[in-house]
Amino acid sequence: MEINGRPDNLAVLKSRVAGDVTNATAVMADIAGLSANLVAGRKYIGVMVLKCSESVAAEGIKVDFDGGTATMTSFAAGAGLLAGGITVTVTAVSSALATDFDWSTITGETWLTFRLTMVVNAAGTFIPRFCQSVDAGATLTVSLGSYLHLEETP
């Protein structure tokens, strides 16, 4: 049976940040509320959208996908952004969970969009993480409403 053109036995995994999450360091921390439990041997595609801001522009933001226990046979992600101010992108594509996406400067409210595709090797959790590019004593915020949406594909 199909639901909206998709076989009904394929999982759709959704999670959402329920309240602002902050990090005032250059050390990766889980983005509370964003996670998914992945199954070994399955393929997933998806999108993650982060609404974020930094109280000091030059501290920037880094994001990776290495917070969980799942391992991948293959992984690829690309990022784009909508910004209300100035941004400086250092790294916007990755083929590894632990590669940091990096914006060395963000000003104003910034929306980061990540497109994801992966094949899971070992089952476990998939948890995105974030931190400042450089810590100068200010605070980075990932805001309420940021979300992760993954769909299993045949």
Side-chain angles (χ1 to χ4, degrees), residues 6 16 23 26 32 42 49-50 57 76-77 80 90 107 112 141 146 149:
R6 287 179 43 82
R16 182 177 175 275
N23 187 347
R42 303 282 173 90
V49 176
L50 300 181
V90 178
T107 62
L112 303 174
T141 302
S146 298
H149 179 110

Side-chain angles (χ1 to χ4, degrees), residues 71 90 105 110 144:
T71 62
V90 178
T105 301
T110 302
L144 166 72

